[in-house]
Amino acid sequence: ASPSAGPAELGFVEAVPSWRLRSEQFPSKVYAPLPGRADAFHRCLFLFCCRTPPCCCGLRVFRNQLPRRNDFYSYEPPSEDPPSETGESVHLQLKSGAHLCRVCGCSGPKRCSRCHKAHYCSKEHQSLDWRLGHKQACAQTDNLDSTVPDHNFLFPEFEIVIETEDEIMPEAVERDDESEIIGTMGEAHEEELESMAKHESREDRIFQKFKTKISPEPEQILRYGRGVAPLWISGENIPQEKDIPDCPCGAKRLFEFQVMPQLLNYLKADRLGRSVDWGVLAIFTCAESCKLGIGYTEEFVWKQDITDAA
């Protein structure tokens, strides 16, 4: 399917309760089931990134999908009502499935030899958790899985709430572009404006289109639209069809969603002198959303930076 124009689903940050876990390398999870596909009733896309800037290959995205009846999720959806005010603690440890590391949320096959309740992916994360609170909490096993560990370097977690984008008519975009130019130039002569228009670069036009498109909702951190055209921030480093690898199943990949630069404001990734940065992260997934069983398959992410010209 070729990309087309159309309204996107916009994602906005919303704070989540303090008992939610946080992740060091996991900036986005998108729940994206496919209507009419029984094998993709539960379908998730997980975007991971390395927060250390020199890591040029530190962006990876994985897809997982399951039918409604499976061994991991209830057949019926969870209640939309908030937890009752009974004073009962919310448990962070899963009651079934794989044990997860208390520090990073990855698979945690190792566990504390004293309490046997805290799980870790490695000795390094176990040591970190021990120094930053588990040493005291280890003896209090009744409260262990309801205590949120804070290791000072994790990405904060937020819920993404979705709203449908209002369409902006092309003539409105043109009026906004024209008013911005006139407002910037002030009392500029007609000859100067004509000269400016002639020398306007493709880079300027694309960045102006990006700004105008997001101006009604500047806080958006995600744009979802399977099969629509991405909203690029720059005229440079826009991929061609040949740059997007096919899925291992043989199907083409198509655009599904993009992460916006506004997300960086919430991640606090540079608070320890280390930082990640991007202009747009565009996620391309298998057009057939091929069957996976209970496994995960890697999809493709294209990173476009903000150029100096922008």
Side-chain angles (χ1 to χ4, degrees), residues 116-181:
H116 303 290
K117 288 193 173 184
H119 292 263
Y120 303 97
C121 65
S122 63
K123 289 183 178 179
E124 290 77 13
H125 281 186
Q126 181 176 4
S127 175
L128 177 65
D129 191 39
W130 182 261
R131 296 196 310 270
L132 296 177
H134 185 60
K135 182 177 181 180
Q136 291 74 31
C138 188
Q140 304 171 0
T141 55
D142 292 341
N143 299 323
L144 187 61
D145 67 348
S146 60
T147 303
V148 181
D150 187 354
H151 303 99
N152 299 319
F153 64 88
L154 306 182
F155 287 151
E157 184 178 1
F158 301 92
E159 183 177 357
I160 301 176
V161 294
I162 301 297
E163 297 179 9
T164 301
E165 180 179 43
D166 292 330
E167 281 292 277
I168 303 176
M169 301 306 292
E171 54 267 25
V173 174
E174 292 174 6
R175 287 198 301 270
D176 289 343
D177 291 350
E178 183 179 355
S179 62
E180 179 165 320
I181 292 173

Side-chain angles (χ1 to χ4, degrees), residues 21-27 48 51 103-104 154-157:
L21 286 177
R22 296 180 292 172
S23 174
E24 178 186 8
Q25 296 179 310
F26 183 29
F48 294 83
R51 64 186 302 150
V103 175
C104 67
L154 306 182
F155 287 151
E157 184 178 1

Side-chain angles (χ1 to χ4, degrees), residues 23-27 48-55 58-59 152-156 267-278:
S23 174
E24 178 186 8
Q25 296 179 310
F26 183 29
F48 294 83
C49 81
C50 177
R51 64 186 302 150
T52 305
C55 186
L59 288 163
N152 299 319
F153 64 88
L154 306 182
F155 287 151
L267 294 184
K268 300 179 181 179
D270 58 352
R271 57 182 170 177
L272 294 180
R274 298 179 296 174
S275 181
V276 293
D277 195 19
W278 63 75

